[in-house]
Amino acid sequence: DTLIFVGADLRVRTVNSAYYTQIAAGAVQDVLGWHIDEFRPQLQARFENGEALYQMARRTLEQPAGVETLELRQHAPEAKVWLVSSTPVVTPGGAFMGRLFLLRDVTEERAIERTKDHLLSMVSHELRTPLASIMGYTELLLTDTEEPPTTRQAGFLNVVMESTNHQLELVNDLLDISHLNEGMVTLH
């Protein structure tokens, strides 16, 4: 994880070694003492939403209360997804000293989530088709007027129908969750 401490004066006071290897891509340029405005061009060049990170840094340093998070997409030098947290740092007496920015690489976690969502969607679709067939044929057997089922057969068929309907509802719920995770459904 990358740690950057920015003082209340909007200047970088401390960075850990991960900053140089993960964010600065091996550049050894010393950033201690830099004003956050000096980072703006680098943020815009390196991240898809670098301006959003810059604005978050400005806002949270000017309004020191609370923790804020932001998901950041890096496109240079390699594609990564970062979760950025900004936490206020205060003295024991409560005076605001600055903010600690934690950048955690969540690239693999996001890839796993996408794979899980895709698998969930695919499995749900694959389960729906046979369940719909079972329900359709069961309904045909229950409503057959030429050879109606016996009372005992009708009882069994009704159990099959209820169980299949329950399974179909579960699969539909899985599909709904999958669509929500993929952003395919808008709630109003």
Side-chain angles (χ1 to χ4, degrees):
D1 292 347
T2 299
L3 295 170
I4 304 170
F5 176 68
V6 180
D9 61 355
L10 307 182
R11 296 199 173 275
V12 175
R13 296 295 169 212
T14 307
V15 296
N16 66 350
S17 60
Y19 168 81
Y20 295 102
T21 58
Q22 296 178 339
I23 304 298
V28 293
Q29 182 178 20
D30 192 9
V31 295
L32 297 183
W34 278 26
H35 192 276
I36 64 164
D37 289 345
E38 294 176 75
F39 278 100
R40 193 176 199 174
Q42 289 182 14
L43 294 174
Q44 291 171 337
R46 193 171 303 265
F47 300 102
E48 286 179 20
N49 50 344
E51 182 64 21
L53 177 58
Y54 171 78
Q55 293 299 330
M56 172 193 176
R58 289 288 308 197
R59 182 179 60 257
T60 60
L61 285 158
E62 292 168 0
Q63 301 170 359
V67 174
E68 281 199 38
T69 59
L70 171 72
E71 192 164 288
L72 191 62
R73 299 198 177 282
Q74 177 180 327
H75 53 77
E78 61 181 294
K80 288 188 176 188
V81 180
W82 297 91
L83 184 63
V84 181
S85 299
S86 171
T87 306
V89 177
V90 294
T91 65
F96 178 67
M97 293 177 56
R99 290 190 81 87
L100 182 64
F101 293 88
L102 168 69
L103 288 84
R104 191 167 66 85
D105 184 353
V106 294
T107 307
E108 287 184 33
E109 293 170 27
R110 294 302 181 260
I112 290 168
E113 287 173 12
R114 281 191 307 275
T115 301
K116 174 196 63 113
D117 292 343
H118 177 72
L119 180 65
L120 184 63
S121 179
M122 187 178 67
V123 167
S124 297
H125 279 291
E126 293 299 320
L127 288 173
R128 265 182 112 185
T129 303
L131 288 173
S133 295
I134 292 169
M135 285 186 70
Y137 284 117
T138 304
E139 190 174 341
L140 281 173
L141 289 170
L142 278 169
T143 58
D144 189 351
T145 55
E146 290 182 21
E147 291 183 43
T150 65
T151 305
R152 183 175 175 183
Q153 290 171 334
F156 291 144
L157 290 169
N158 281 322
V159 169
V160 169
M161 191 71 140
E162 289 172 16
S163 295
T164 306
N165 194 36
H166 178 69
Q167 292 297 315
L168 193 56
E169 287 175 13
L170 291 174
V171 169
N172 285 336
D173 289 346
L174 284 173
L175 265 175
D176 289 345
I177 290 169
S178 174
H179 288 152
L180 283 171
N181 287 339
E182 292 174 3
M184 294 171 58
V185 174
T186 305
L187 300 176
H188 298 282

